[in-house]
Amino acid sequence: MKTKQLVAFVVAAAVFVVTGVSSIAINTWSEGVKSSSADTYSQLFGMMEEVTTPTDEYVAVINVEGTIYSSPEVSLWGEAAGYDHTSTMDYVDQLMQDSYNTGIMLYMNTPGGEVTASDELYLKLMEYKEMTGRKIYCYFGDQSCSGGYYISMAADEIYANRNCWTGSIGVIVSMLNMQGLYEKLGIEEINITSGNNKAMGSSGEKLTEQQREIMQSLVDESYDQFVSIIVEGRNMTDAKVRELADGRIYSAKQALEAQLIDGICTLDEYMNRIYEEQGEDIIIFERPVDSYGLESLFATMQSLKSRSEAEVLQELLEKEKMGGLMYYADGIQ
């Protein structure tokens, strides 16, 4: 073998090894960051949670956008993508202690989400009102469905964009029965359990009638809680709420006629309404969002890596939060 050919072969081999090792390292590191829990996220990036707020009177804008999960979807640099439950809850705590804060404006643009996360934010906002006596304003953007509507019951008033979709009042538990797929792939699911219902909802087994009744009882309990929140928040009768709360989506006009909201206007018009009530010198403050220049680059690199069919399926199941109680407008995103 000639010297030039030998050198070229060695260089090519070195490049192949370095590329392979780098790819493995990046994939391993990125998956580790993405799978971090909310607690780990807070520990690693807690120093960024304290928001520098104005030193004059202000109304704080809290954005609830995207699907509402207790644990945020974390980007490669540790930044929450979409709604960040932990930082939102911490921010409300901070506002309670801030004498310059005179109120909160919720901006809702969400299809809803987890029952637990929705209820936690609702209770935190109610605590804010009880502790401070300050007003909570609420504006619906493109949508505020299910869990989003649930959270808005802490507000003193609700206005919406005329093209908004809202409602979807109800509870859903989604599961996948994959027995047919498993059979085609030659996969047999084996569950060794301590009771007949321990593997309830497993993708490899059908629900029994008893298990369906069990799941329905959980859904009904969460639904009753949702109804009671609206009865209190909108000063309606239980019967009236249940008549409206069959899971359907309402347009802004329909929601206004049903007394689910208080008015329809543009966002600018609603902010002017706040100025008129709070005073022209009031600041409507929206906390800044940190961004990192290389984040999109690494996100792109991550998206380019090849994935097996099993990884794609696992990602789908995680994204859809299969099996959990959701105040969620299924298919509306």
Side-chain angles (χ1 to χ4, degrees), residues 104 106 122 125-126 129 135-140 150-158 233-234 262 270:
I104 287 174
L106 291 173
Y122 164 79
L125 291 168
M126 292 298 289
K129 285 173 59 175
K135 186 171 180 177
I136 296 181
Y137 304 86
C138 186
Y139 185 81
F140 292 171
Y150 186 105
I151 292 167
S152 74
M153 291 300 95
D156 295 280
E157 64 179 34
I158 303 170
R234 298 304 297 174
D262 299 298
Y270 191 62

Side-chain angles (χ1 to χ4, degrees), residues 43-93:
Q43 293 171 3
L44 292 174
F45 301 95
M47 72 290 291
M48 297 191 294
E49 294 302 314
E50 187 73 18
V51 179
T52 302
T53 53
T55 53
D56 292 304
E57 291 188 339
Y58 70 96
V59 172
V61 177
I62 293 181
N63 293 310
V64 180
E65 300 189 77
T67 304
I68 302 163
Y69 293 137
S70 299
S71 300
E73 295 183 13
V74 182
S75 67
L76 296 180
W77 285 102
E79 183 181 4
Y83 172 74
D84 182 354
H85 186 64
T86 302
S87 71
T88 301
M89 297 284 284
D90 290 344
Y91 188 40
V92 178
D93 279 329

Side-chain angles (χ1 to χ4, degrees), residues 134-261:
R134 302 167 196 161
K135 186 171 180 177
I136 296 181
Y137 304 86
C138 186
Y139 185 81
F140 292 171
D142 292 337
Q143 59 181 319
S144 184
C145 295
S146 210
Y149 190 75
Y150 186 105
I151 292 167
S152 74
M153 291 300 95
D156 295 280
E157 64 179 34
I158 303 170
Y159 279 68
N161 183 281
R162 67 180 183 177
N163 298 304
C164 174
W165 283 5
T166 187
S168 187
I169 300 167
V171 189
I172 184 172
V173 173
S174 297
M175 300 178 183
L176 288 178
N177 186 313
M178 305 182 70
Q179 281 184 310
L181 176 61
Y182 288 171
E183 289 173 3
K184 289 182 179 180
L185 296 176
I187 298 173
E188 179 184 2
E189 180 173 318
I190 300 173
N191 295 308
I192 301 172
T193 66
S194 57
N196 293 334
N197 296 315
K198 184 60 180 175
M200 181 173 59
S202 170
S203 62
E205 297 181 4
K206 291 183 179 180
L207 287 176
T208 66
E209 286 303 314
Q210 181 187 33
Q211 290 169 352
R212 283 186 177 275
E213 291 175 2
I214 292 171
M215 294 305 299
Q216 188 64 55
S217 71
L218 299 176
V219 168
D220 291 344
E221 186 174 317
S222 292
Y223 175 75
D224 289 341
Q225 178 176 290
F226 202 157
V227 169
S228 68
I229 293 297
I230 299 174
V231 167
E232 180 180 355
R234 298 304 297 174
N235 193 27
M236 290 182 177
T237 65
D238 184 274
K240 179 61 176 178
V241 173
R242 290 181 186 274
E243 179 185 337
L244 296 169
D246 62 0
R248 77 181 65 185
I249 292 172
Y250 294 94
S251 69
K253 182 180 178 180
Q254 292 167 348
L256 182 59
E257 292 172 351
Q259 299 180 328
L260 293 173
I261 62 175

